[in-house]
Amino acid sequence: MIRLLLVGLGGFCGSVLRYLVGTLFEPQAARGAFPIGTLAVNVVGCLAVGVLAELVESRGFLRPDTRALVFIGLLGGFTTFSTFANETVTAAKDGDAAMALLNVSATVLLCLGAAWAGRVLAHSLWR
């Protein structure tokens, strides 16, 4: 039961952080503009997941309850893959296939790169 509450708390905090980051990019979020706020959140979230996953695997960093709070709750609430998917589908539906393809390509490449970079960073800093 305590783990469930920790996930909920983390999700609340992650969602609030996601909202705050999104407001930084509101001027750029006008219809038809590239969804930079969503991309930024997903890249930062993937970088954080990469760093923490490396520390958990190599150092036993974070107890199971704390991992649930951070990975499932905080980062799950912070990242916005569902928003990314909807924005991509909307661009395609609106006939902007180039924007949809750019969004998919940038998100996949940058997020995978960020997760990899996070692991490399954590490994090099905490040998």
Side-chain angles (χ1 to χ4, degrees):
M1 182 59 145
I2 191 76
R3 193 172 289 174
L4 183 64
L5 293 173
L6 289 170
V7 168
L9 175 64
F12 170 79
C13 293
S15 296
V16 169
L17 284 172
R18 163 64 183 108
Y19 172 78
L20 293 173
V21 170
T23 60
L24 295 174
F25 294 97
E26 279 182 5
Q28 293 87 357
R31 187 148 182 88
F34 186 80
I36 189 71
T38 302
L39 178 61
V41 165
N42 284 332
V43 171
V44 168
C46 288
L47 179 66
V49 164
V51 167
L52 293 171
E54 180 65 26
L55 292 175
V56 165
E57 291 172 13
S58 66
R59 302 264 180 224
F61 187 71
L62 303 177
R63 295 180 335 189
D65 285 346
T66 307
R67 284 194 296 251
L69 169 80
V70 173
F71 282 93
I72 299 167
L74 181 70
L75 293 174
F78 180 68
T79 58
T80 57
F81 199 80
S82 59
T83 303
F84 151 75
N86 188 54
E87 288 169 344
T88 303
V89 168
T90 299
K93 184 178 155 210
D94 290 347
D96 198 348
M99 179 65 74
L101 183 59
L102 176 63
N103 195 28
V104 169
S105 300
T107 299
V108 169
L109 291 173
L110 291 172
C111 288
L112 289 175
W116 173 80
R119 285 178 169 264
V120 170
L121 178 65
H123 180 75
S124 66
L125 291 176
W126 292 283
R127 291 183 200 205

